[in-house]
Amino acid sequence: MANPKPDDPLLNPPAPASNHGNNVGRRVPWPSLIGFLGLAVNFALCIHRAEGDRGTVADVTFAYLNLLLLFWCIRQFDQAPHGSAARGRIRVAVWLLATSLTAVFTWKVAALMPLPVAVMAWVMAAATVIGGFYGFFIHEDK
């Protein structure tokens, strides 16, 4: 039996061509597109149900735009090289966006609750924000 050659394509297949910078061979992310379509429909329905209440429209619009920006930042964070300055800046943006969503939702929910329950909602929100800070900035990739 003959010894295989080092350049034998069965033993050493060529590395796949990189598609960085172009969309050749890229698949459509259907689950993400369906999720964003659902988010957009929900946004439109919330605006319709607000019946011109500017405060509600502002809250819903803020949450929608914040979520879109948060998803975009998370994607950028995942694509940024580990240890890069860009990854650090995006990490701060992700934490700030998540913190602002937590604060706005807690504000709206706590306004509907009796005081002891509202205090508990704020305590849980604070724990979430502090836990996110710890996970993103203190614990990092350990």
Side-chain angles (χ1 to χ4, degrees), residues 107-121:
W107 182 276
K108 296 298 278 183
V109 168
L112 303 173
M113 303 292 171
L115 184 61
V117 178
V119 168
M120 257 333 265

Side-chain angles (χ1 to χ4, degrees), residues 97-107 122 124-126 128-129:
L97 289 166
T99 297
S100 65
L101 270 178
T102 302
V104 167
F105 289 151
T106 305
W107 182 276
W122 280 108
M124 289 189 302
T128 301
V129 168

Side-chain angles (χ1 to χ4, degrees), residues 24-96:
V24 175
R26 234 175 132 177
R27 294 182 295 156
V28 175
W30 289 110
S32 295
L33 290 176
I34 291 169
F36 283 119
L37 179 63
L39 187 62
V41 168
N42 188 45
F43 172 67
L45 290 173
C46 287
I47 296 295
H48 176 72
R49 287 190 64 204
E51 297 177 350
D53 179 16
R54 290 183 182 189
T56 301
V57 170
D59 288 340
V60 170
T61 302
F62 171 80
Y64 177 71
L65 294 176
N66 192 313
L67 278 172
L68 289 179
L69 191 55
L70 180 60
F71 291 142
W72 181 80
C73 285
I74 290 171
R75 179 173 172 83
Q76 297 303 310
F77 180 79
D78 286 341
Q79 292 177 347
H82 287 278
S84 68
R87 192 172 173 94
R89 286 189 302 271
I90 296 168
R91 181 178 292 159
V92 170
V94 167
W95 183 76
L96 288 173

